[in-house]
Amino acid sequence: ETGVTQSPTHLIKTRGQQVTLRCSSQSGHNTVSWYQQALGQGPQFIFQYYREEENGRGNFPPRFSGLQFPNYSSELNVNALELDDSALYLCASRILAGGVETQYFGPGTRLLVL
Amino acid sequence: AQRVTQPEKLLSVFKGAPVELKCNYSYSGSPELFWYVQYSRQRLQLLLRHISRESIKGFTADLNKGETSFHLKKPFAQEEDSAMYYCALLRSGGYNKLIFGAGTRLAVHP
């Protein structure tokens, strides 16, 4: 196990609602990335946080936002949910050791928007 | 454009047969490539990376810059190799992000 946990494991929301997904990574992993994995697709990069600030974003609208906290936990918030937001959401914590980067993924949160 | 292509959605083989999972990439810089695997009911995990030139669980992958490919190979497939395999490219510069292919499901039959 990588020590990266996510909650909840799955949830159901309706269109227009808001959702908060949570991720907890290991101590010292100060970079966290969030990915969206739609059914039958590979993960798509949403954004990355480093030392509590967003420092990179993929092709996702502003209603996808995040937070990172000093205790190495983070949140993904999605406002005004749409049906296409139904997906598996993955967080990944990143460490750099000896010039080699490794990303460790959590088990994911499966979101269904009705 | 930076892109990773896995042309096969499903690869079905018998136990003991050779396996090659194809991956092609498009990237203007010097690529750093990975293979991730997801077994049933488990999280996505790193299988191998090209810079390590390692063999993990009998799998190897060689970066071919001329053909922009990073195919995953194993000479003799085992039933426990059945899983989803994702090829990924690390886009670096400013911030790092992984660009994934759509994945290939490997099914190894007894």
Side-chain angles (χ1 to χ4, degrees):
Chain A
E1 291 299 313
T2 65
V4 182
T5 60
Q6 290 186 244
S7 63
T9 55
H10 54 272
L11 73 165
I12 300 174
K13 292 285 188 177
T14 56
R15 271 187 306 174
Q17 285 189 309
Q18 178 267 342
V19 69
T20 297
L21 311 181
R22 294 180 173 82
C23 172
S24 180
S25 53
Q26 288 180 302
S27 175
H29 291 205
N30 53 19
T31 302
V32 66
S33 301
W34 285 89
Y35 292 80
Q36 180 195 66
Q37 187 174 16
L39 200 61
Q41 301 293 321
Q44 299 285 317
F45 176 79
I46 302 175
F47 47 54
Q48 177 176 284
Y49 277 77
Y50 174 69
R51 292 186 175 178
E52 303 167 46
E53 289 194 9
E54 182 183 306
N55 72 338
R57 173 175 279 263
N59 190 25
F60 282 82
R63 59 189 186 85
F64 285 78
S65 63
L67 287 171
Q68 187 185 25
F69 304 100
N71 65 352
Y72 306 104
S73 66
S74 63
E75 291 180 354
L76 165 64
N77 299 288
V78 187
N79 294 322
L81 283 167
E82 301 177 359
L83 297 180
D84 285 349
D85 296 334
S86 295
L88 181 68
Y89 289 85
L90 302 170
C91 75
S93 69
R94 178 168 76 94
I95 61 169
L96 188 64
V100 177
E101 167 171 325
T102 303
Q103 295 206 20
Y104 294 98
F105 284 84
T109 294
R110 188 164 298 282
L111 172 65
L112 178 60
V113 182
L114 301 175
Chain B
Q2 299 150 357
R3 186 169 53 245
V4 175
T5 303
Q6 293 180 252
E8 302 143 327
K9 282 196 175 295
L10 172 66
L11 184 62
S12 187
V13 301
F14 287 103
K15 176 182 173 181
V19 167
E20 182 177 70
L21 299 166
K22 291 184 166 51
C23 172
N24 289 92
Y25 67 90
S26 172
Y27 187 63
S28 57
S30 185
E32 190 170 346
L33 288 148
F34 305 81
W35 277 98
Y36 279 81
V37 60
Q38 188 167 31
Y39 300 102
S40 179
R41 301 179 188 276
Q42 294 187 28
R43 67 184 67 195
L44 197 62
Q45 56 187 284
L46 178 66
L47 179 62
L48 54 79
R49 69 184 87 213
H50 90 272
I51 59 173
S52 301
R53 299 189 65 82
E54 58 203 342
S55 174
I56 303 294
K57 300 184 178 183
F59 285 98
T60 59
D62 291 319
L63 177 61
N64 186 323
K65 291 186 178 181
E67 296 183 357
T68 60
S69 68
F70 187 56
H71 303 327
L72 183 68
K73 300 177 184 179
K74 185 169 183 177
F76 307 103
Q78 303 298 314
E79 289 180 67
E80 55 265 31
D81 296 330
S82 296
M84 280 296 297
Y85 290 82
Y86 295 95
C87 182
L89 168 70
L90 183 69
R91 194 226 74 149
S92 56
Y95 64 95
N96 292 351
K97 71 173 185 179
L98 286 170
I99 300 170
F100 285 88
T104 297
R105 178 168 297 283
L106 174 63
V108 182
H109 303 285

